[in-house]
Amino acid sequence: MPHRVAVLALDGLLPFELGIPHRIFGRSLEPAPGNKGAKLYEVVTCSIRPPGPVRTDSDYAILVEHGPEALATADTVVIPASYELGPVFEEGRLTEELAAALALIRPGTRMVSICTGSYVLAAAGYLDGRPATTHWSSADHFQRLFPQVRVDPDVLFIDDGDVLTSAGVAAGIDLCLHLVRRDHGAAVANEIARRTVVPPHRDGGQAQYIHRPVPEPQFATTTTAARAWALGRLDRPIQLRDMARQESMSVRTFTRRFREEVGASPGQWLTQQRVERARHLLETSDLSIDQVARDAGFGTATSLRQHLQAALGVPPTVYRRTFRASADTP
């Protein structure tokens, strides 16, 4: 049976966020010629009340055909943001109606929030003692309201195993694509990303979206060309001065502009890209670990092992075995 995803629609929801799980999970198919594979997920929308209309933050309501009982059958529950959370947002406590609905969720169900949907997870106790994120503009308030949560306001999403949280709005796309990749591998996630016309992985974190004064015209150049140049040669040595030369900048200016745009240093970004390249090769090829290390730009299997262990917590062989098993038995 397909993995069942229940999306909880709360009054005051943002229609864009409500549609993200349906677009990403609902369009994920088993790899097959002509993209005719079976659906990997079944996505249903439910309310905390019997079937009926749910208010949105726009000038229309949506008709939800499932009540809270759908939560009891879910393998994953997704909670998008709402602008009418009331005591959840103001006092950090659930309403009786919401608490009763969440009580129907089976133990072990994967819990996911988009944007300020994290308030619901925190109020329900799912985030106690765990790392979590939310929209950067709410991060300080969220931390004050839930001091037991380890809030990281700088990332696009956090995967803590069975509980995952994402930053504002479009970061929900990043998180859902990450889950597809985790469940079924890079090939499936990359295909749905292409169909959705979004990148399968975005660089940096929320820092690049926090308001800053518009730079003066003389600093309006970007580092896009340097990044594109580097991505085309990850298997070769890349020096900071060579990247700066692609933008006709000094190393100092390039480093500052790069961090402003990406939210990470050039060295950190290169390591992230090489890790992603290694992950893709481990998931989709039969190359030896030594060859994966060379093609990803790490040079040696030892270096690859150290970087993958630091980034993902597992060595290359374990990562490959996990994703090969996932691809064989989704």
Side-chain angles (χ1 to χ4, degrees), residues 133-152:
T133 192
T134 190
H135 194 288
W136 62 264
S137 65
S138 298
D140 289 342
H141 175 261
F142 185 78
Q143 184 66 90
R144 290 194 302 271
L145 196 62
F146 303 107
Q148 68 276 24
V149 180
R150 306 201 308 272
V151 181
D152 185 346

Side-chain angles (χ1 to χ4, degrees), residues 50 103 116 148 157 173 179 183 189 294 297 329:
T116 54
Q148 68 276 24
F157 63 83
I173 299 176
L179 281 171
D183 291 346
R294 287 193 293 271
T329 58

Side-chain angles (χ1 to χ4, degrees), residues 200-212:
H201 173 77
R202 277 198 293 169
D203 302 323
Q206 290 196 76
Q208 59 190 311
Y209 301 103
I210 298 173
H211 173 72
R212 296 186 181 90

Side-chain angles (χ1 to χ4, degrees), residues 29-315:
L29 306 175
E30 287 182 350
N35 294 314
K36 298 296 184 181
K39 286 192 172 183
L40 295 170
Y41 301 90
E42 177 189 10
V43 186
V44 298
T45 304
C46 63
S47 170
I48 60 174
R49 298 184 295 271
V54 174
R55 295 190 303 275
T56 72
D57 72 329
S58 304
D59 61 345
Y60 58 88
I62 62 170
L63 182 63
V64 177
E65 298 183 354
H66 300 276
E69 66 280 354
L71 296 172
T73 64
D75 301 302
T76 294
V77 171
V78 181
I79 305 178
S82 164
Y83 284 139
E84 297 182 21
L85 290 177
V88 175
F89 187 82
E90 297 162 3
E91 306 170 30
R93 65 175 180 85
L94 301 174
T95 64
E96 292 185 8
E97 194 174 35
L98 180 53
L102 296 179
L104 298 175
I105 299 173
R106 297 173 298 176
T109 299
R110 187 164 61 186
M111 302 297 296
V112 177
S113 68
I114 299 177
C115 194
T116 54
S118 54
Y119 278 77
V120 176
L121 294 184
Y126 285 104
L127 301 180
D128 288 356
R130 290 179 179 259
T133 192
T134 190
H135 194 288
W136 62 264
S137 65
S138 298
D140 289 342
H141 175 261
F142 185 78
Q143 184 66 90
R144 290 194 302 271
L145 196 62
F146 303 107
Q148 68 276 24
V149 180
R150 306 201 308 272
V151 181
D152 185 346
D154 296 327
V155 296
L156 293 175
F157 63 83
I158 288 179
D159 180 344
D160 196 37
D162 58 341
V163 179
L164 302 93
T165 53
S166 69
V169 195
I173 299 176
D174 299 297
L175 178 51
C176 289
L177 283 172
H178 168 76
L179 281 171
V180 173
R181 181 187 182 110
R182 195 178 99 173
D183 291 346
H184 300 287
V188 175
N190 290 347
E191 178 60 27
I192 190 61
R194 281 192 291 268
R195 286 173 168 267
T196 312
V197 198
V198 296
H201 173 77
R202 277 198 293 169
D203 302 323
Q206 290 196 76
Q208 59 190 311
Y209 301 103
I210 298 173
H211 173 72
R212 296 186 181 90
V214 176
E216 295 298 324
Q218 63 265 31
F219 300 120
T221 53
T222 74
T223 60
T224 303
R227 278 177 276 153
W229 175 83
L231 287 174
R233 50 185 298 124
L234 287 176
D235 59 330
R236 287 170 277 178
I238 298 175
Q239 301 296 325
L240 180 56
R241 63 177 179 273
D242 296 327
M243 294 183 68
R245 190 177 299 120
Q246 306 306 308
E247 304 291 357
S248 300
M249 297 181 188
S250 68
V251 170
R252 182 176 180 180
T253 299
F254 176 80
T255 302
R256 184 180 71 252
R257 293 293 295 138
F258 194 99
R259 186 178 288 278
E260 288 174 353
E261 291 178 19
V262 178
S265 71
Q268 291 169 331
W269 179 84
L270 276 173
T271 298
Q272 291 168 1
Q273 302 315 305
R274 284 174 165 148
V275 167
E276 290 303 313
R277 173 68 174 158
R279 290 173 67 172
H280 175 75
L281 293 174
L282 289 169
E283 294 174 22
T284 61
S285 77
D286 294 319
L287 296 174
S288 68
I289 300 301
D290 286 326
Q291 187 60 55
V292 169
R294 287 193 293 271
D295 287 358
F298 288 118
T300 67
T302 299
S303 179
L304 170 63
R305 189 177 303 110
Q306 291 172 343
H307 281 93
L308 216 66
Q309 187 79 44
L312 308 177
V314 294

